[in-house]
């Protein structure tokens, strides 16, 4: 296959998927394939997360579901490719569309800032849709901070990482990553219930996001013309409980000249997180508009990178 024919093959699924995401986001009326991942994880967690050997049981669930996802999607892709390289395009388009979360995230963050302008209580209810922390006592500033932290962190999880693994491994890469990420989002917590059972899921997610998180931060600095912040991001990105989430958060904090992090409650337990950045100023609607512009520019940049590099791997 020539580079041009491979480029056309990739573009025929990636560009329509990206355009559909920009137009529609995640349509709530359509069944989301990732929901099935969540149901499988929930089913396994209810049956295995009890009694003794919870660490081993959690490892069994995580490794089993990840392996099954990789094997199933690889088998489907290989089977379709026997008919024609183009046979995989419709499936790629569907799962790329459902795996890109950029538009929905930007909408949700904008809605948080609009809601908190009306009242703190409305802002708390809105931000609870996109964060895992306890939002019942958050101030207006904490609500805005939580929304922008999520905007930066989920740019990596919801856009860059899926496309990074699609670039390397195609459809099996993107769906296997989504299983890894879904496992972490459901059981990868440091709470009493999941500290042992979810440890493998959390560690696998840490490994899977190591490069994408740092690539996200770099692209954020590139599109904003702030490569001078590389040292800041390298230093402040380590100030996070996660080995990865701090880097895109530090990039956005540096670009906006604000401060993220600090102590938060999760499932009734206080986690004393360090601060990222040294500018504890009041956040405004202009900050979310700038953050959304950066997210959209980074998304466009990674689309071009995939289009340029993926054909070389086919």
């Amino acid at each position: 296959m020539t580079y041009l024919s491979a480029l056309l093959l990739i573009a025929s699924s990636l560009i329509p998927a990206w355009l559909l995401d920009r137009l529609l986001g995640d349509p709530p009326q359509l069944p989301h394939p990732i929901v099935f991942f969540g149901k499988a994880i929930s089913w396994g967690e209810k049956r295995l997360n009890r009694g003794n050997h919870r660490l081993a049981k959690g490892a069994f669930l995580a490794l089993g579901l990840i392996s099954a996802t990789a094997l199933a999607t690889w088998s489907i892709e290989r089977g379709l490719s026997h008919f024609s390289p183009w046979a995989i395009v419709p499936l790629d388009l569907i799962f790329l569309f459902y795996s890109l979360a950029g538009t929905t995230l930007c909408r949700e963050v904008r809605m948080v800032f609009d809601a908190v302008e009306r009242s703190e209580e409305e802002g708390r209810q809105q931000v609870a849709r996109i964060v895992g922390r306890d939002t019942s006592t958050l101030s207006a500033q904490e609500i805005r901070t939580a929304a922008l932290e999520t905007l930066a962190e989920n740019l990596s999880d919801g856009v860059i990482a899926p496309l990074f693994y699609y670039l390397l491994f195609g459809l099996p890469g993107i769906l296997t990553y989504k299983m890894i990420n879904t496992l972490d989002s459901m059981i990868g917590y440091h709470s009493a219930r999941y500290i042992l059972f979810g440890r493998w899921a959390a560690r696998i997610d840490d490994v899977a996001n190591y490069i994408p998180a740092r690539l996200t931060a770099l692209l954020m600095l590139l599109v904003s013309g702030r490569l001078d912040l590389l040292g800041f991001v390298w230093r402040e990105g380590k100030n996070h409980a996660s080995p990865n989430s701090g880097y895109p958060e530090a990039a956005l904090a540096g670009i906006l000249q604000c401060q993220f992090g600090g102590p938060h409650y999760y499932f009734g337990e206080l986690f004393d997180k360090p601060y990222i950045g040294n500018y504890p100023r009041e956040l405004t609607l202009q900050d979310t508009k700038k953050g959304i512009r950066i997210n959209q520019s980074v998304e466009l940049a990674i689309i071009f990178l995939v289009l340029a590099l993926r054909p070389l791997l086919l």
Side-chain angles (χ1 to χ4, degrees), residues 162-300:
L163 288 177
F164 175 76
Y165 286 104
Y166 177 73
L167 166 63
L168 294 181
F169 306 113
L171 182 63
I174 197 170
L175 287 180
T176 302
Y177 172 77
K178 294 302 289 187
M179 175 56 82
I180 291 170
N181 193 239
T182 307
L183 277 160
D184 180 65
S185 67
M186 292 183 66
I187 63 173
Y189 293 99
H190 291 283
S191 62
R193 179 178 178 85
Y194 297 115
I195 187 65
L196 290 177
F197 188 79
R199 185 173 298 173
W200 273 75
R203 293 295 179 267
I204 293 169
D205 186 76
D206 288 344
V207 173
N209 282 296
Y210 186 88
I211 294 176
R214 287 150 182 81
L215 176 60
T216 302
L218 177 61
L219 290 173
M220 291 171 76
L221 299 184
L222 279 170
V223 302
S224 59
R226 294 301 309 272
L227 285 177
D228 58 299
L229 291 171
L230 276 172
F232 172 87
V233 171
W234 179 254
R235 182 180 67 253
E236 296 293 320
K238 300 173 184 177
N239 294 336
H240 199 287
S242 163
N244 301 313
S245 300
Y247 291 90
E249 288 187 22
L252 188 58
I255 293 166
L256 297 181
Q257 294 288 282
C258 66
Q259 186 178 67
F260 292 149
H264 299 296
Y265 281 93
Y266 291 84
F267 303 105
E269 298 180 41
L270 179 64
F271 290 85
D272 191 13
K273 297 183 176 182
Y275 287 99
I276 296 174
N278 304 309
Y279 313 99
R281 67 173 180 83
E282 193 73 18
L283 294 167
T284 68
L285 187 59
Q286 291 304 117
D287 293 309
T288 192
K289 289 180 179 179
K290 187 172 183 178
I292 288 171
R293 285 198 303 270
I294 291 168
N295 269 41
Q296 292 173 339
S297 298
V298 168
E299 186 172 347
L300 191 59

Side-chain angles (χ1 to χ4, degrees), residues 9-169:
L9 182 66
I10 299 303
S12 63
S13 56
L14 179 57
I15 292 178
W18 172 68
L19 290 174
L20 282 172
D21 180 65
R22 291 299 300 268
L23 289 171
L24 303 176
D26 287 333
Q29 67 272 21
L30 295 179
H32 202 299
I34 308 304
V35 170
F36 296 108
F37 288 179
K39 289 182 177 180
I41 295 165
S42 179
W43 183 88
E45 191 270 339
K46 288 177 182 177
R47 284 155 180 79
L48 296 176
N49 190 15
R50 55 190 177 186
N52 299 322
H53 311 297
R54 295 195 186 196
L55 180 63
K57 291 175 181 177
F60 174 78
L61 179 67
L63 293 173
L65 289 176
I66 292 167
S67 300
T69 303
L71 180 61
T73 51
W74 177 82
S75 299
I76 291 170
E77 185 177 63
R78 187 173 178 83
L80 289 173
S81 67
H82 283 308
F83 296 99
S84 166
W86 292 87
I88 195 67
V89 168
L91 207 59
D92 271 4
L93 195 161
I94 291 169
F95 283 105
L96 278 164
F97 166 57
Y98 277 114
S99 297
L100 295 175
T103 298
T104 297
L105 176 63
C106 289
R107 287 176 183 170
E108 290 285 346
V109 169
R110 190 182 291 114
M111 288 167 65
V112 169
F113 272 70
D114 291 341
V116 79
E117 289 295 315
R118 295 189 289 271
S119 74
E120 286 190 5
E121 183 55 36
E122 194 172 341
R124 293 185 190 111
Q125 293 174 5
Q126 191 65 43
V127 79
R129 291 162 52 91
I130 58 173
V131 301
R133 72 192 63 170
D134 181 3
T135 64
S136 61
T137 61
L138 295 184
S139 66
Q141 172 70 358
E142 290 170 331
I143 293 167
R144 297 186 184 101
T145 299
L148 288 177
E149 287 175 353
T150 301
L151 183 69
E153 180 182 350
N154 285 2
L155 174 60
S156 177
D157 293 353
V159 178
I160 303 302
L163 288 177
F164 175 76
Y165 286 104
Y166 177 73
L167 166 63
L168 294 181
F169 306 113

